[in-house]
Amino acid sequence: DQKLVQRYTYKPLEPDSLSTVVVGDKPYDITFQEESREVHMLGYFPFGGIENIADFIKTQQRSRQLRNEKMCELLTKSGMPVSIEELQAEGSVVVGRLHAANIMIRKGYVGSVKEAFSNYLTKGKPCYAGREKPTAKDAIEAISYAGGVAVLAHPFLYGWTGCRNTVSEILIEKVQNLKEFGLKGVEVFHGEASNCQILETKGAADTLGMTITAGSDYHGDNKHNLKMFSCDTKLYRESEEIVAGC
């Protein structure tokens, strides 16, 4: 089979070019299971409708609550007591492993978030607790049926980019598969992405006709060296050519 090859030349985006990127209110973040790893789907609702997935959200919240209770139980059994009440008080709405890690640091159990995850909270470690998660199809359909726009979050974090001047076939394949379920966009610009990862993700999004979004993923002091995107943010820094095939 012959592949369609497309060549793109991207120039640095100046601050006043932010208007070319689709932005909106804070999206609803859904974690789904993709083979052996967790992947994040963002649901944007620019015209309202998030109330239409209230039951879906409640199911996910209940699953997260049960996971949090189990995680606290495992931490306590491992000699690092953390109560569910402490964990819930750590965040405003949604709490999870990152909030548990912050408590562990304050209590002197670990010295950093990285240590907490590497030694205790990652899958396969003694205090990891899994939870039931929807499939990609379930997540996209829930967002779409409610009138929202389903956007794949930070694909570079899943190891789908190769950081070359050719778009990874894996990235094209993954996004194409999700597009068949109703995916509408890809988060191209992200606070932790390198310039080459941004360009590669944009090449895939442009090739597959995806809407492009930007998100700094700023979490306050929980993520060091990350700043919230603003009108002064340059979304990528160098002029570069990239080739994509599908």
Side-chain angles (χ1 to χ4, degrees):
D1 295 339
Q2 288 187 334
K3 288 186 177 182
L4 174 63
V5 176
Q6 302 189 56
R7 191 178 299 272
Y8 303 95
T9 300
Y10 295 122
K11 296 180 180 180
L13 283 181
E14 297 300 326
D16 59 3
S17 296
L18 276 169
S19 60
T20 65
V21 182
V22 174
V23 294
D25 292 335
K26 182 179 179 181
Y28 183 75
D29 190 337
I30 298 173
T31 302
F32 67 89
Q33 194 69 31
E34 204 277 336
E35 296 178 350
S36 61
R37 67 162 308 128
E38 294 182 349
V39 175
H40 289 239
M41 186 68 61
L42 305 174
Y44 286 90
F45 293 85
F47 305 109
I50 193 170
E51 67 279 359
N52 296 325
I53 61 169
D55 290 342
F56 182 87
I57 291 174
K58 286 180 181 177
T59 298
Q60 304 313 309
Q61 290 174 335
R62 179 57 181 162
S63 174
R64 186 181 291 272
Q65 174 69 12
L66 292 173
R67 186 280 306 273
N68 287 343
E69 291 173 358
K70 181 64 176 178
M71 178 172 60
C72 289
E73 179 184 330
L74 291 171
L75 284 166
T76 300
K77 285 182 177 180
S78 297
M80 299 176 288
V82 174
S83 70
I84 187 63
E85 290 78 17
E86 284 179 289
L87 185 60
Q88 290 172 335
E90 190 72 12
S92 55
V93 179
V94 178
V95 293
R97 290 181 294 168
L98 180 58
H99 300 89
N102 288 333
I103 295 172
M104 293 168 72
I105 292 170
R106 285 204 306 272
K107 288 193 166 187
Y109 303 149
V110 295
S112 67
V113 169
K114 182 178 181 180
E115 182 184 347
F117 274 82
S118 298
N119 294 345
Y120 301 104
L121 301 178
T122 301
K123 189 172 183 179
K125 300 302 179 180
C127 300
Y128 173 82
R131 66 183 180 93
E132 290 187 13
K133 291 177 282 292
T135 64
K137 186 173 184 290
D138 290 339
I140 292 171
E141 288 184 349
I143 294 167
S144 301
Y145 289 162
V149 179
V151 174
L152 174 66
H154 42 59
F156 76 95
L157 285 179
Y158 316 132
W160 296 352
T161 57
C163 219
R164 298 183 297 271
N165 66 343
T166 301
V167 177
S168 162
E169 290 187 9
I170 293 175
L171 179 59
I172 291 284
E173 178 186 344
K174 296 290 189 182
V175 176
Q176 178 63 52
N177 290 343
L178 294 173
K179 183 180 179 181
E180 291 175 4
F181 295 142
L183 182 75
K184 298 299 183 186
V186 178
E187 185 181 53
V188 167
F189 302 103
H190 184 274
E192 293 177 291
S194 67
N195 199 58
C196 63
Q197 289 168 334
I198 290 170
L199 291 168
E200 187 176 352
T201 307
K202 192 173 190 305
D206 287 343
T207 298
L208 297 173
M210 295 278 96
T211 294
I212 291 170
T213 69
S216 64
D217 212 10
Y218 177 72
H219 285 248
D221 293 334
N222 290 320
K223 290 192 174 184
H224 298 296
N225 302 319
L226 269 189
K227 295 182 179 180
M228 189 175 294
F229 285 165
S230 71
C231 290
D232 294 323
T233 302
K234 285 194 175 183
L235 296 181
Y236 47 84
R237 297 169 291 283
E238 301 170 6
S239 180
E240 195 164 328
E241 188 175 81
I242 194 161
V243 177
C246 63

